Amino acid sequence: MAQIARLNEADRLMEAFNRVQDQVDTAIADQRELSANLHHEVRTPLAVIRSDAEIMLLDNTCRPEDVRPRLERIARSVTDIEQSLQSTYHLAHARFADESPVNLHLCVDDIFESLGLEADKAGMALVNAVEPTHQEVVNQPALMTVMRNIVRNAALHAAPAKLIVDSVARGLRLTDNGPGIAASDLPYVFDR
């Protein structure tokens, strides 16, 4: 009888160890994903800042009208980095209890305002067709992060086109009339 009790205790201990190990493995995978996402979001604006700064340093004949657009692009890139870092922070510290009623029309306005110049340059028209009174209970920083990524990707990969965001039951619908994804690329659409 004592032998059976020890085996049961050992089994329980092993089961508890396996649960903890699974949690550790999940936490490590989440950290790797977070790190990869941050790297992806920050790499492009940093490249813009570096290239514009290097060009301005190498060109001794820079006229003020040539410098201003580069400085504006550097400033926008710094804003992109700040937004990426803020989004990453919010995602890392998000709790589902942080949900509250959010006006989705105003969220879309904020996203469009922050990415408007980037979209204009790419030829992406942004249309906020969300009902002005549409509210949902959501985690606003998480929503803003997801929406910012979708709109930025649309500007990068679907333009020239029109992106329309409108209300649907319990959410939003984002549609564009861009070229779409080539059939040969569809199997890889969720790969980094």
Side-chain angles (χ1 to χ4, degrees):
M1 191 67 143
Q3 180 68 19
I4 292 173
R6 267 189 244 129
L7 284 178
N8 287 339
E9 184 177 331
D11 288 346
R12 287 193 308 270
L13 185 59
M14 185 56 86
E15 185 178 311
F17 175 80
N18 288 337
R19 277 195 314 271
V20 170
Q21 183 65 44
D22 288 345
Q23 291 172 349
V24 168
D25 290 344
T26 299
I28 290 170
D30 289 346
Q31 286 248 308
R32 285 184 179 148
E33 181 70 17
L34 186 66
S35 174
N37 287 339
L38 181 60
H39 179 262
H40 174 76
E41 291 297 320
V42 171
R43 182 180 53 202
T44 301
L46 283 176
V48 168
I49 291 169
R50 178 185 299 269
S51 65
D52 282 352
E54 287 174 351
I55 288 170
M56 288 177 2
L57 286 171
L58 291 173
D59 188 357
N60 295 333
T61 62
C62 278
R63 299 171 305 177
E65 61 269 16
D66 295 334
V67 172
R68 184 168 184 80
R70 291 191 188 283
L71 291 174
E72 289 172 351
R73 200 165 88 139
I74 288 172
R76 281 194 308 274
S77 296
V78 169
T79 299
D80 287 346
I81 292 170
E82 288 172 344
Q83 289 175 345
S84 295
L85 292 173
Q86 182 181 17
S87 296
T88 302
Y89 177 83
H90 285 301
L91 285 175
H93 296 88
R95 296 181 310 271
F96 291 109
D98 292 340
E99 294 180 344
S100 60
V102 173
N103 182 302
L104 297 184
H105 182 85
L106 295 178
C107 286
V108 173
D109 275 348
D110 287 347
I111 296 296
F112 283 2
E113 183 178 333
S114 70
L115 298 174
L117 289 173
E118 190 175 328
D120 285 345
K121 284 190 174 185
M124 174 65 71
L126 303 174
V127 178
N128 184 353
V130 177
E131 296 169 13
T133 59
H134 187 166
Q135 284 196 358
E136 296 291 342
V137 176
V138 296
N139 180 307
Q140 186 170 358
L143 172 68
M144 299 294 275
T145 298
V146 170
M147 294 252 329
R148 191 173 288 112
N149 286 335
I150 292 171
V151 173
R152 184 177 289 128
N153 283 339
L156 289 172
H157 303 293
K162 180 191 292 187
L163 173 69
I164 301 171
V165 183
D166 62 341
S167 296
V168 295
R170 301 204 28 91
L172 298 171
R173 174 177 47 209
L174 291 86
T175 55
D176 68 66
N177 60 354
I181 299 171
S184 60
D185 292 334
L186 286 175
Y188 310 105
V189 78
F190 292 106
D191 291 347
R192 185 171 299 283

